[in-house]
Amino acid sequence: MAGSQGSWTGGSLAARDLWKPKHVARAVFHPAWIPESIDPAVEQLKKIRLIAGTVAAVGVYTFVEGGFAFDEMLENMLTASVVLLFITPLTVGIMLLVWKRDGDIRVLKPPLFNSLKLLLAFVGSIVVTVLLLQSAGGAGLFVLLLGPLVIWLAGFVARGAWHVGANFFGTAGVHRCLPPLLATVTTWLMALPDLLTGDLHGLSLGMGVLFILGAPVTVTGIALLEMRRLDQRYGIRLKAHPATQTPYVPPMPPNAPPVPPATPPYVPPQGNPYPYGGSPYGNPYGPPAGNPYNQGNPYGPGPHGR
């Protein structure tokens, strides 16, 4: 989008919008090179997947033991950053080995590099925000200076999380099935430590198991629906090399003006349309039919031989 929602990579961001973290987050984490969704139903599934993934990343365990566990939420954010930083390149690397059997993976370097930049920018913003939040409490007078910055960064990270959760660092530019795959892997890795250690964070057994498994199971189910719809409707398969799949062509708008024909709708006939005998009306610009001077000699001898 242009104007206030432009991209740092391809557009401009108005100076007045720098104070609004949502505009800056969109410019940074949803640049113009990220492809838009090709299916409204898939877009709706992404929103549900994003909510479930947020529950897994931040954790509902912060609302236990009689209050809001702010420190635990910060720890969960740092843990999620570490998981994203390592598991995302690892998962993409495995898929590159799969795609290598069908085509050259070197053509995927530009979108992969763009996605890596988004990943590093998001993880870095989370780390900086968490460190500032942890130090703001003991900053004394500096809290007056850190307060507005921390509030701005918190809004920036929250809005950025919405964008990267939907497009998963623009990996749809590499392969449209990568975002649901990465979301599934990430949420399971976030829940796996609690599942293996049995740490229910103060919740009862039933609620603990529900909240530990609820998010990854929900994300996995929605991700499978996304990939199935992409396969059935658009022929996009996770195991197929992106270059071997037919590129998606968006449909024409319903009220689009008609496309002019390549050739004029009417071409005058070429050649003589009356090859046999000429025009039925004669030549309007030629002499009349017959000899106009063969109607008798007006100067010849009269009826008396004169």
Side-chain angles (χ1 to χ4, degrees):
M1 299 178 69
S4 63
Q5 293 183 345
S7 167
W8 284 2
T9 58
S12 60
L13 192 67
R16 65 180 181 274
D17 292 331
L18 292 175
W19 299 101
K20 303 175 182 178
K22 65 176 183 179
H23 293 325
V24 181
R26 178 177 176 84
V28 175
F29 298 117
H30 195 84
W33 53 264
I34 296 180
E36 297 296 333
S37 178
I38 62 177
D39 193 325
V42 172
E43 190 66 23
Q44 294 298 323
L45 291 174
K46 284 182 180 180
K47 295 179 180 179
I48 303 175
R49 168 170 58 82
L50 177 58
I51 295 173
T54 303
V55 171
V58 177
V60 294
Y61 319 115
T62 57
F63 297 94
V64 299
E65 297 180 354
F68 178 73
F70 186 74
D71 292 338
E72 187 171 355
M73 184 193 70
L74 296 181
E75 293 178 1
N76 288 340
M77 291 177 63
L78 289 177
T79 302
S81 301
V82 174
V83 171
L84 288 173
L85 188 60
F86 286 97
I87 199 58
T88 301
L90 178 61
T91 305
V92 174
I94 295 175
M95 293 309 305
L96 289 176
L97 295 178
V98 175
W99 297 334
K100 190 176 181 180
R101 299 175 301 181
D102 300 330
D104 187 5
I105 60 175
R106 290 177 295 181
V107 299
L108 304 177
K109 284 184 178 181
L112 286 172
F113 184 67
N114 289 333
S115 298
L116 179 61
K117 289 191 294 184
L118 286 187
L119 172 63
L120 295 177
F122 183 67
V123 172
S125 64
I126 289 180
V127 172
V128 171
T129 302
V130 170
L131 292 179
L132 287 177
L133 285 172
Q134 290 177 340
S135 60
L141 294 178
F142 287 102
V143 73
L144 299 178
L145 298 176
L146 291 178
L149 177 61
V150 170
I151 294 174
W152 190 94
L153 282 175
F156 173 76
V157 170
R159 190 71 177 190
W162 175 264
H163 290 300
V164 300
N167 60 55
F168 228 93
F169 311 107
T171 50
V174 182
H175 196 297
R176 289 191 179 271
C177 289
L178 272 181
L181 173 66
L182 291 170
T184 301
V185 174
T186 302
T187 51
W188 275 107
L189 285 180
M190 289 294 300
L192 195 60
D194 294 334
L195 189 63
L196 295 179
T197 60
D199 185 6
L200 302 181
H201 298 265
L203 298 173
S204 64
L205 178 60
M207 294 296 293
V209 172
L210 175 63
F211 284 126
I212 289 176
L213 296 180
V217 169
T218 303
V219 170
T220 302
I222 295 174
L224 292 176
L225 288 176
E226 286 185 55
M227 290 188 284
R228 181 182 179 185
R229 190 173 180 88
L230 290 173
D231 182 6
Q232 293 181 345
R233 286 190 169 240
Y234 307 100
I236 300 175
R237 298 175 178 85
L238 177 62
K239 294 183 179 180
H241 191 288
T244 63
Q245 302 182 79
T246 303
Y248 170 71
V249 179
M252 293 291 294
N255 298 325
V259 179
T263 58
Y266 172 75
V267 178
Q270 305 298 318
N272 184 3
Y274 310 105
Y276 305 104
S279 170
Y281 304 103
N283 187 350
Y285 304 103
N291 187 354
Y293 305 102
N294 196 24
Q295 304 298 325
N297 187 356
Y299 306 104
H304 302 287
R306 293 182 181 180

